[in-house]
Amino acid sequence: MFRNPRRAALLLATGAAAAGAGGLHDRGHSVTVSASAPLRHLLSTAATGLLSRNPFLAPWQGDFAILNSFACASAPPANLSNHGSGGNSDDSRCSPGCLGRNSIANAAAAVGPAVVNISCMQENGWVLEKSIGSGTIIDPDGTILTCAHVVADFQSTKPVLKGKVSVSLQDGREFEGVVLNFDIHSDIAVVKIKSKTPLPAARLGSSCKLRPGDWVVALGCPLSLQNTVTAGIVSCVDRKSSDLGLGGIRREYLQTNCAINIGNSGGPLVNLDGEIIGVNVMKVRAADGLSFSVPIDYVVKIVEHFKKNGRVVRPWLGLKMLDLNPMVIAQLKERSSSFPDVSKGVLVPMVTPGSPAERAGFAPGDVVIEFDGKPVETIKEIIGIMGDKVGVPFKVLVRRANNVPVTLTVTPEEADARR
């Protein structure tokens, strides 16, 4: 924060006026200033907030913000060892995983040419609205990963595409895009553009080995400012959607402290090897350093569903589940001596009435220890075993109070938007 709020207010007010008017003038000198519409709005709002002694006015009011604006890997990464600052890079002295002088710049350079700006024109009554987001080319044929809310309108009862999709590359080329698929629950979409020549593409990495504290880089077009790079660390590798107050289908996010804003939606989260490890999707409006991305391992599964089924098929059992660990098990045994004698598994605290699980005979308090003949310790493992198998029966071994083993057969149904 500025030490002198009055001076800060005057500076921001001047900046807002310049952004709106397009220029500043003094005696004998002229300085031209240009800014995008969202940026002009932000400067104007910030100035108003300081002048009214409330620096936290909109657009930062509310809780979570999806990051698109309504005002509006083939090509391998560069050889990191050859990129220096005047030939004096200290990267060569770093062990693998070490942050060197050029580590962030090299990661951004490897992915940057494949990062695109996506805009959609949508009619809202008599008003023509422009939605802006980001995306990443992941195949030289023009396949682009982005967020579903960038290209689809979720406000209506049934999500629909917003309209014509325009894609701008870092090198200045513009293409008309076609939305191949989108999924509202994961907020992932695939867009396709056609080019007579191969397009720059980013490599997909893996998110399963990320640790809190790992360095990451976010790229995109915040506030319509193309080719923007920010950096930070992974704050949490498995932030649950329930932790964020998001209901419906269970999801997990990568939490980072990278600075992302309106327009960053769909842009890549990148590791220091220049590989995509997430898709930026939202932030907390009322806080700094709380940003969230969809892990790339999950995104890859979504894309595989698109290719195989034309949509994402999610089996539904109707079970509320909880991963167990030795500490939780010990606590549950203290509360009830009849708790089953297990060292691992997945607890079932609740069964949805009328669900496949209830029909199969599941009961609250069951501990799932095997699913389809495979030992399980986490909900992730159960979801992975089911895959997209709807209507296929699974044998499940559970242990109940007083260590009673029971084998159940459950047949998943396809989850719908209401669940």
Side-chain angles (χ1 to χ4, degrees):
M1 296 296 292
F2 292 100
R3 294 183 179 180
N4 188 332
R6 182 178 178 81
R7 178 178 173 80
L10 291 173
L11 286 173
L12 283 170
T14 303
L24 292 174
H25 298 275
D26 64 11
R27 297 177 182 177
H29 298 279
S30 175
V31 181
T32 301
V33 179
S34 63
S36 63
L39 184 57
R40 289 198 300 270
H41 174 71
L42 176 61
L43 286 171
S44 176
T45 306
T48 303
L50 282 172
L51 289 171
S52 63
R53 298 184 181 181
N54 180 5
F56 303 111
L57 292 176
W60 312 118
Q61 288 175 345
D63 296 317
F64 293 93
I66 55 178
L67 304 173
N68 66 325
S69 169
F70 288 96
C72 47
S74 54
N79 186 341
L80 304 188
S81 62
N82 292 334
H83 282 262
S85 178
N88 295 320
S89 171
D90 62 350
D91 287 356
S92 61
R93 297 195 297 272
C94 289
S95 60
C98 173
L99 183 68
R101 176 185 298 172
N102 297 314
S103 299
I104 292 174
N106 289 338
V111 180
V115 179
V116 301
N117 176 229
I118 299 176
S119 60
C120 298
M121 298 302 296
Q122 177 187 17
E123 288 188 13
N124 185 6
W126 296 100
V127 180
L128 191 63
E129 294 182 339
K130 186 176 183 180
S131 169
I132 297 176
S134 305
T136 315
I137 303 172
I138 58 171
D139 192 292
D141 69 357
T143 302
I144 298 171
L145 272 182
T146 187
C147 281
H149 72 257
V150 172
V151 296
D153 182 8
F154 294 172
Q155 303 303 317
S156 56
T157 54
K158 184 178 180 180
V160 294
L161 296 179
K162 291 179 178 176
K164 182 178 178 181
V165 178
S166 178
V167 178
S168 301
L169 272 63
Q170 190 180 75
D171 59 20
R173 286 182 290 173
E174 294 187 2
F175 299 88
E176 183 173 343
V178 176
V179 180
L180 298 184
N181 295 97
F182 69 91
D183 176 60
I184 62 172
H185 297 295
S186 62
D187 203 359
I188 293 297
V190 174
V191 174
K192 185 72 175 290
I193 58 175
K194 291 183 179 180
S195 173
K196 295 180 180 179
T197 58
L199 294 163
R203 292 186 305 172
L204 300 183
S206 176
S207 53
C208 66
K209 295 182 179 180
L210 286 173
R211 301 172 302 167
D214 281 343
W215 282 93
V216 286
V217 182
L219 295 88
C221 311
L223 299 172
S224 303
L225 301 175
Q226 295 190 10
N227 313 326
T228 296
V229 177
T230 62
I233 61 169
V234 175
S235 305
C236 179
V237 296
D238 56 355
R239 179 64 64 203
K240 307 292 189 296
S241 54
S242 57
D243 295 342
L244 306 177
L246 303 175
I249 293 174
R250 183 180 188 270
R251 291 148 292 172
E252 291 184 352
Y253 299 98
L254 298 174
Q255 179 183 328
T256 77
N257 68 346
C258 291
I260 59 176
N261 291 284
I262 292 172
N264 270 116
S265 271
L269 187 70
V270 179
N271 62 22
L272 294 186
D273 293 324
E275 300 168 332
I276 302 175
I277 47 89
V279 175
N280 297 320
V281 63
M282 63 183 173
K283 66 171 291 186
V284 177
R285 281 181 175 170
D288 292 328
L290 287 174
S291 305
F292 301 91
S293 305
V294 183
I296 197 64
D297 292 349
Y298 181 60
V299 174
V300 168
K301 292 179 181 178
I302 296 296
V303 174
E304 289 173 352
H305 276 264
F306 287 159
K307 291 178 179 179
K308 181 179 178 181
N309 307 304
R311 70 187 195 285
V312 180
V313 177
R314 293 182 174 88
W316 179 68
L317 299 177
L319 291 175
K320 177 78 173 177
M321 295 185 283
L322 174 70
D323 293 346
L324 293 176
N325 60 47
M327 300 304 295
V328 173
I329 291 172
Q331 189 178 53
L332 291 172
K333 285 184 176 180
E334 285 181 4
R335 293 180 180 177
S336 173
S337 59
S338 64
F339 188 81
D341 184 18
V342 296
S343 59
K344 57 188 177 182
V346 178
L347 177 65
V348 176
M350 186 180 74
V351 181
T352 303
S355 67
E358 185 189 51
R359 292 194 295 270
F362 279 89
D366 286 350
V367 177
V368 179
I369 56 176
E370 286 186 12
F371 199 94
D372 198 31
K374 304 176 182 65
V376 292
E377 300 180 32
T378 65
I379 303 170
K380 271 186 178 180
E381 292 174 333
I382 294 175
I383 293 173
I385 292 170
M386 288 193 295
D388 61 354
K389 298 173 185 175
V390 171
V392 177
F394 291 93
K395 293 284 186 183
V396 184
L397 176 61
V398 304
R399 287 196 178 274
R400 290 183 170 165
N402 299 313
N403 216 33
V404 176
V406 178
T407 300
L408 305 171
T409 301
V410 62
T411 303
E413 297 177 359
E414 184 171 355
D416 58 39
R418 293 172 296 175
R419 298 180 180 131

